[in-house]
Amino acid sequence: MVHVLSSRILLHPVDPDRSRAFYGDQLGLAIQREFGTGPERGTVYFLGGGFLEVSGRSEAPPSPALQLWLQVESAEAAHEELRAKGVEIVRPPVREPWGLIEMWIADPDGTRIALVETPKDHPLRYRPGI
């Protein structure tokens, strides 16, 4: 059995400076560490229980199959804050049939990001009788 100690998502953006501005300034992710120099230097952001590393450069955007899922305290508050910062809102918050409140945004390379709120009465947070 593999004993995983940490997890990280690695992105090689088309424009590293633009992506660092998006993840650091617009989304407000805290920096865990930075390494290297120049425009393709690495920046690692905290993602709750994992990390997001933006480093290097790619000639093409990531595959549309790559999507990020970030849990937030309030999807509506995130929607208002990010809209005010000029973040591309793909879809505003909606309560899904499965009970989660989800909104979708996109990073500068078009990577889709789900911001998900788990309501207090949702089974992921509360299971009566347990």
Side-chain angles (χ1 to χ4, degrees):
M1 174 185 222
V2 176
H3 184 73
V4 177
L5 300 177
S6 181
S7 61
R8 180 174 303 187
I9 297 165
L10 177 60
L11 291 181
H12 295 301
V14 172
D15 183 336
D17 287 332
R18 181 179 70 176
S19 291
R20 274 192 293 277
F22 174 79
Y23 288 105
D25 300 335
Q26 290 184 294
L27 283 189
L29 298 181
I31 294 175
Q32 188 259 345
R33 74 182 190 99
E34 294 180 288
F35 57 92
T37 60
E40 295 167 17
R41 69 188 178 279
T43 305
V44 180
Y45 298 96
F46 285 105
L47 278 183
F51 302 96
L52 171 68
E53 179 179 322
V54 176
S55 64
R57 182 182 300 268
S58 176
E59 295 300 317
S63 162
L66 172 68
Q67 299 178 2
L68 303 179
W69 191 96
L70 306 176
Q71 187 172 356
V72 296
E73 187 174 340
S74 168
E76 191 58 46
H79 178 251
E80 294 303 318
E81 178 182 341
L82 296 175
R83 188 178 61 178
K85 290 181 176 181
V87 171
E88 178 187 351
I89 307 294
V90 175
R91 193 191 78 184
V94 172
R95 184 179 287 269
E96 300 291 356
W98 46 89
L100 297 175
I101 301 168
E102 297 183 8
M103 70 174 279
W104 287 85
I105 61 175
D107 82 357
D109 286 337
T111 301
R112 289 175 43 101
I113 303 168
L115 298 177
V116 181
E117 175 185 341
T118 306
K120 290 182 180 167
D121 62 346
H122 193 278
L124 288 175
R125 288 183 57 178
Y126 173 73
R127 295 186 335 185
I130 293 182

